[in-house]
């Protein structure tokens, strides 16, 4: 049995097709809706240290963290231990 990678983002976990789709979506998203690159990297770093991350997906809410972390209006879905 192949175990899913914990604390890995999409590309790191081998989800190449999903990563490409996600990257394409983010590239056409209005910049006004996105956090800065520095904030984005901070958010992803927090996600990578979270037990709820598995293969680029948050088990708390079911999102792809690379999308959620990019959006200004979104926050960490872990209400018990909000990271960002």
């Amino acid at each position: 049995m192949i175990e899913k990678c914990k604390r890995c983002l999409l590309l790191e976990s081998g989800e190449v097709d999903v990563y490409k789709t996600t990257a394409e979506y983010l590239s056409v998203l209005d910049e006004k809706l996105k956090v800065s690159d520095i904030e984005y990297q901070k958010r992803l770093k927090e996600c990578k240290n979270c037990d709820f991350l598995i293969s680029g997906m948050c088990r708390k809410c079911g999102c792809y963290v690379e999308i959620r972390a990019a959006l200004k209006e979104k926050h960490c879905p872990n209400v018990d231990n909000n990271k960002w």
Side-chain angles (χ1 to χ4, degrees), residues 4-19:
K4 290 283 186 180
C5 177
K6 278 194 134 188
R7 298 185 182 158
C8 290
L9 299 176
L10 289 169
L11 195 57
E12 297 165 333
S13 66
E15 300 288 343
V16 177
D17 291 337
V18 178
Y19 173 79

Side-chain angles (χ1 to χ4, degrees), residues 36-76:
S36 69
D37 288 338
I38 292 169
E39 180 64 20
Y40 182 61
Q41 292 306 317
K42 283 182 188 178
R43 290 180 173 197
L44 290 179
K45 184 178 179 182
E46 290 293 335
C47 290
K48 286 184 72 168
N49 290 317
C50 180
D51 289 333
F52 293 107
L53 177 66
I54 200 163
S55 295
M57 185 176 283
C58 174
R59 292 186 305 161
K60 271 292 192 185
C61 69
C63 75
Y64 288 115
V65 299
E66 285 148 307
I67 292 176
R68 186 179 193 96
L71 300 172
K72 285 181 184 177
E73 69 179 34
K74 299 294 184 182
H75 300 282
C76 173

